[in-house]
Amino acid sequence: MQELSGPSWTSSPQPRAEQLQVSDGEHFDVVIIGSGAGGGTLARVLAPTGLRILVIERGDWLPQEPENWDAEAVFQQGRYLSKDIWTDKHGKPFQPGSHYFVGGATKMYGAHHFRLRARDFEELVHIDGISPAWPLRYSDFEPWYQKAEEMYHVHGLRGEDPTEPPASGPYPHAPISHEPRIAKLADDLRSAGLHPFHAPSGVMLDEANMPFSRCRRCNSCDGFPCLVHAKSDAEVIGIRPALGSHNVTLLTRAEVRRLETDASGRSVKAVQLLHNGTPMRVSGDLVVVSCGAANSARLLLMSANDRHPRGLANGSDQVGRNYMFHNSKAAVALSHEPNPTIFQKTISVNDWYFGDADFDYPMGNIQMTGKTRGAIMKGYAPLETFLMPNWSMDKIAEHSLDFWVSTEDLPSPDNRVTITPDGAINLAYTPNNQAASDHLWSRLQSLLDRLYLKDHLVERQVYVKNAMGIAAVGHQAGTCRFGTDPATSVLDVNCKAHELDNLYVVDTSFFPSIGAVNPSLTAIANAIRVGHHLRERLGAR
């Protein structure tokens, strides 16, 4: 396995002016459309080869400004949300929680980097249906997971989680320590027979040398952009180091509108885009689509032509189908006991991931979120809290323990992305696997009730639960699944389109199933894996 070289996140130089400019009609060895977990990571992997690489990003650099850490600006005003309007299966418009910046969705993510469990790569029977087997197994991804954890500065501790898959090495960085209230919660969970483990987190934290640590353990990580670039996002880890190689070019504020093929339909010959509203065309020997599951499907569907009448790479009619985004709930548990924790995202629980003695089906993952503030609660539930000022919500939030409860969303061909006549996304989605989600929520609620009642503590928790609707697109996956059969999949095992010789899709679109943990590390590991395949294909090891 080739080692990555070139500058790191700590030493990335400022790019040259010509690396941020592109001429109409210019040709590159590789064109990557999107700069998130897939595209940004892939650019970093390919940068040391000397190949001419262009990364096209629809958005701009996310500004470093005080509002980065302003909960009211981020959660209530939606300062960094895209202006996109999608429609649901009834034609009702909604604004998705998407973000178009250099680094893509990772600019706002919580940087929790879980490996899928080994069984997630195999067929799993759920109460609501089947989670299909992948064409590759966990062992095929394990070396790339290890590389992904190293590249994205992941903190964790092997051996705590009973569902943990085998690993070829330890986490590259020590686990993030628990603050006192969370350490007590971890002890209480263990006393109840569970196995809480240190959540794997990708942040630039050095607790042994805090004066020189970029991360400050603040409460503006989960759902916020990082003002000091201390979160392992695809801008900081992928794009900035990639631009340290002068053969890499980045074009921002450039929305790709269509991929043109040659007369045979077997090769993408040009990429049509709007740069600051001005039409342009570029080309590449290889073209990689990394726009996110919904927008990657949209681009392929918008690129329909005589050779591909249903959309590019869509002879199987699978492009856009099997959209998944997790059955997730943001749960706030309130009690009399205060919780002064600042950096709360340090615990996760997988004891119910594959079920228990009373429910013989997978349930899912529980993890902590960032510590709730009043402005965040108002952003999650604006109608219910409309008349309550932020200060009153802050008083409530002082007593909260905050959880993210996630159950697998099963792939369904009818849960799909299509496009309207003007090219907007229509997302037809019907929830599934709800019984498993309800069981997992019930397990957490009853457990916390027992913990709070032990030692005759006569206080009762109040729970606030907010289910994530289809506008919550942070964990989106599917739409271009990979496989060995062109009749039932869009991509081959190297994420190349079955029907085109030079087109790849490298983001969460390739997932045949989504498991119940955050998809980011799998997307990153796959980008590294495909990046090494492309290095070999292009003879640039």
Side-chain angles (χ1 to χ4, degrees):
M1 183 187 303
Q2 304 96 329
E3 295 299 321
L4 297 176
S5 59
S8 70
W9 62 272
T10 59
S11 59
S12 300
Q14 184 171 337
R16 297 176 177 180
E18 58 266 27
Q19 289 180 262
L20 305 177
Q21 301 170 0
V22 175
S23 300
D24 188 23
E26 197 166 350
H27 183 81
F28 297 84
D29 295 309
V30 183
V31 175
I32 302 171
I33 305 167
S35 63
T41 302
L42 181 63
R44 167 82 181 273
V45 173
L46 295 179
T49 63
L51 295 166
R52 292 200 68 217
I53 300 161
L54 170 63
V55 181
I56 302 174
E57 171 52 49
R58 177 175 175 176
D60 205 342
W61 300 92
L62 194 150
Q64 289 177 272
E65 57 186 3
E67 289 85 354
N68 287 174
W69 285 351
D70 184 331
E72 186 171 348
V74 172
F75 288 91
Q76 294 182 40
Q77 298 169 7
R79 183 176 182 85
Y80 303 110
L81 281 177
S82 77
K83 305 302 182 186
D84 279 5
I85 298 296
W86 299 1
T87 53
D88 65 13
K89 64 182 179 181
H90 303 295
K92 181 180 178 181
F94 67 94
Q95 184 178 24
S98 52
H99 306 89
Y100 301 136
F101 294 101
V102 177
T106 67
K107 293 303 297 179
M108 309 295 289
Y109 74 170
H112 264 184
H113 290 303
F114 296 89
R115 299 182 181 203
L116 285 174
R117 313 293 94 177
R119 287 175 60 190
D120 284 326
F121 290 84
E122 303 168 2
E123 182 176 286
L124 271 177
V125 178
H126 292 253
I127 191 170
D128 237 14
I130 301 294
S131 178
W134 290 39
L136 301 177
R137 290 295 182 264
Y138 172 77
S139 58
D140 298 306
F141 277 84
E142 196 286 325
W144 311 111
Y145 273 132
Q146 193 71 31
K147 286 291 184 186
E149 290 167 348
E150 293 167 5
M151 183 186 289
Y152 275 73
H153 210 87
V154 179
H155 298 251
L157 183 63
R158 309 277 190 224
E160 296 181 303
D161 173 12
T163 72
E164 180 181 68
S168 54
Y171 278 103
H173 299 280
I176 299 175
S177 65
H178 302 314
E179 293 178 42
R181 180 66 186 91
I182 304 306
K184 180 180 183 300
L185 175 62
D187 289 341
D188 289 342
L189 293 173
R190 279 189 286 269
S191 73
L194 299 183
H195 301 81
F197 60 96
H198 288 83
S201 298
V203 290
M204 317 299 186
L205 176 66
D206 184 355
E207 292 191 271
N209 192 12
M210 284 303 292
F212 294 91
S213 173
R214 181 176 292 196
C215 175
R216 309 312 303 168
R217 287 189 65 118
C218 74
N219 186 22
S220 298
C221 185
D222 194 7
F224 294 85
C226 183
L227 177 61
V228 296
H229 285 176
K231 181 161 59 177
S232 298
D233 63 48
E235 175 201 338
V236 175
I237 298 296
I239 294 297
R240 287 179 180 265
L243 288 172
S245 298
H246 296 158
N247 52 296
V248 177
T249 301
L250 172 68
L251 186 66
T252 58
R253 304 183 304 281
E255 182 181 0
V256 174
R257 301 291 296 174
R258 185 179 178 82
L259 304 178
E260 298 178 31
T261 66
D262 61 11
S264 72
R266 291 293 306 175
S267 181
V268 176
K269 70 174 185 179
V271 176
Q272 296 181 10
L273 59 97
L274 294 175
H275 179 228
N276 291 326
T278 301
M280 284 182 60
R281 294 169 80 249
V282 296
S283 59
D285 293 340
L286 297 180
V287 175
V288 181
V289 176
S290 300
C291 308
N295 276 296
S296 287
R298 171 182 179 249
L299 177 57
L300 297 182
L301 294 172
M302 288 174 62
S303 301
N305 59 30
D306 290 343
R307 293 285 184 178
H308 301 274
R310 291 192 292 194
L312 215 57
N314 197 26
S316 62
D317 192 31
Q318 292 299 303
V319 170
R321 294 188 184 274
N322 302 296
Y323 177 92
M324 301 166 284
F325 75 112
H326 280 143
N327 294 315
S328 297
K329 297 178 177 68
V332 179
L334 305 173
S335 75
H336 293 298
E337 183 177 0
N339 177 18
T341 303
I342 298 173
F343 191 92
Q344 184 174 252
K345 288 174 63 71
T346 57
I347 284 183
S348 187
V349 173
N350 274 342
D351 290 82
W352 297 301
Y353 197 92
F354 294 114
D356 63 13
D358 298 319
F359 187 76
D360 194 23
Y361 297 99
M363 283 185 269
N365 167 263
I366 296 170
Q367 55 185 278
M368 309 301 290
T369 69
K371 184 68 180 72
T372 289
R373 308 178 211 171
I376 296 175
M377 293 180 74
K378 286 178 72 70
Y380 280 151
L383 296 178
E384 296 86 342
T385 61
F386 178 73
L387 297 177
M388 301 182 70
N390 281 352
W391 67 264
S392 66
M393 297 299 296
D394 285 338
K395 297 301 291 183
I396 294 172
E398 288 175 4
H399 295 262
S400 73
L401 285 167
D402 310 280
F403 299 90
W404 185 265
V405 183
S406 185
T407 296
E408 182 162 0
D409 180 14
L410 301 179
S412 167
D414 295 326
N415 285 344
R416 65 183 301 195
V417 170
T418 56
I419 54 173
T420 63
D422 60 354
I425 287 176
N426 175 267
L427 178 56
Y429 180 81
T430 300
N432 61 55
N433 218 19
Q434 296 298 291
S437 180
D438 292 343
H439 274 277
L440 183 59
W441 166 249
S442 175
R443 297 297 190 279
L444 176 62
Q445 183 175 355
S446 61
L447 172 68
L448 293 178
D449 283 344
R450 293 200 311 273
L451 291 178
Y452 269 83
L453 289 170
K454 77 174 188 178
D455 297 330
H456 308 290
L457 180 63
V458 288
E459 61 182 52
R460 177 78 176 178
Q461 286 186 311
V462 176
Y463 299 97
V464 179
K465 176 178 64 168
N466 185 53
M468 300 292 106
I470 63 170
V473 298
H475 288 192
Q476 61 181 280
T479 73
C480 297
R481 59 167 53 176
F482 78 155
T484 56
D485 184 356
T488 59
S489 59
V490 178
L491 311 171
D492 69 14
V493 294
N494 290 316
C495 292
K496 185 188 77 68
H498 289 298
E499 300 171 16
L500 291 103
D501 298 325
N502 70 335
L503 176 64
Y504 289 77
V505 180
V506 182
D507 54 25
T508 53
S509 303
F510 86 100
F511 283 39
S513 66
I514 195 173
V517 291
N518 309 40
S520 56
L521 191 72
T522 302
I524 292 163
N526 186 61
I528 299 173
R529 181 183 74 92
V530 175
H532 282 76
H533 159 74
L534 295 180
R535 288 165 77 155
E536 293 179 1
R537 171 173 173 170
L538 295 168
R541 301 189 179 191

